[in-house]
Amino acid sequence: MQQLTIEYFHFEQDFMEDNIRCIPMIVRFKLDACGIKLKLKEWSKMSVEEREQLALLPIDSSADLDVYKNYVQELIYSHTGENATLLPTNDNNNSSIDALPLVLKEKLEVSKMSISILQWKNLSLLQRFALLKLTRPGHENKNFPKAMREFGLA
């Protein structure tokens, strides 16, 4: 039987060692795809095994997405007694690879870094997602340069 591994980035290592205490990018990616906002207080009530399942479950088809969404909703309800916060699904952040998103351009300018369109296109969908997430207010600024280095962009 093939052992599944969770795709974590090196810049996430600081919080992965402690029983996955923060929500990793792979889970954030899947949550965005199925339209659920998972709060850190909800995440912290889940077992390590449940957190790992959220990282491992596939979302390759619409059926997979439905299974994933139902699983997350059930977990949140079972741990909090509250319904999950639903969000509109938005894959537009990652669909255009022909131009750098404005928010990324602004972050690069402030960080005195750059990415060519070719470099952007060569990133995986998850890498592009991570960079965009790291440009949002409220994310630790120290992880953006780490991600840039990890992805071979700095």
Side-chain angles (χ1 to χ4, degrees):
M1 186 169 150
Q2 182 182 358
Q3 176 71 21
L4 295 175
T5 58
I6 300 171
E7 184 176 355
Y8 296 127
F9 293 119
H10 292 290
F11 69 83
E12 297 179 292
Q13 291 303 322
D14 294 347
F15 52 86
M16 289 299 111
E17 295 166 358
D18 240 0
N19 295 323
I20 319 175
R21 65 180 169 84
C22 290
I23 304 170
M25 286 294 170
I26 187 65
V27 174
R28 291 172 183 257
F29 177 78
K30 293 175 180 187
L31 291 167
D32 277 15
C34 72
I36 293 182
K37 176 171 179 53
L38 180 63
K39 300 171 186 133
L40 196 51
K41 70 178 185 173
E42 296 164 339
W43 173 257
S44 66
K45 292 181 181 192
M46 295 176 189
S47 70
V48 173
E49 292 77 20
E50 290 166 335
R51 294 174 189 183
E52 288 174 351
Q53 273 302 107
L54 289 176
L56 288 170
L57 283 171
I59 60 163
D60 301 325
S61 68
S62 60
D64 288 343
L65 260 178
D66 288 341
V67 167
Y68 192 89
K69 184 175 186 173
N70 289 332
Y71 180 64
V72 176
Q73 288 175 314
E74 289 171 14
L75 279 177
I76 292 171
Y77 191 80
S78 70
H79 287 289
T80 68
E82 297 177 14
N83 292 324
T85 303
L86 301 180
L87 301 170
T89 55
N90 181 3
D91 56 36
N92 294 334
N93 285 340
N94 294 296
S95 61
S96 176
I97 62 170
D98 294 323
L100 295 178
L102 180 60
V103 66
L104 179 61
K105 285 182 183 178
E106 291 169 351
K107 180 69 172 181
L108 289 166
E109 191 174 305
V110 167
S111 303
K112 299 187 180 356
M113 300 173 132
S114 65
I115 299 175
S116 72
I117 296 298
L118 182 58
Q119 288 172 310
W120 178 247
K121 286 181 177 183
N122 286 331
L123 293 174
S124 71
L125 184 61
L126 186 57
Q127 288 172 322
R128 287 193 301 274
F129 174 83
L131 287 178
L132 290 174
K133 277 289 189 193
L134 293 171
T135 63
R136 294 190 178 162
H139 280 277
E140 293 184 50
N141 289 332
K142 69 178 184 168
N143 284 334
F144 183 79
K146 287 180 179 181
M148 291 284 291
R149 283 191 297 278
E150 181 175 341
F151 302 161
L153 302 171

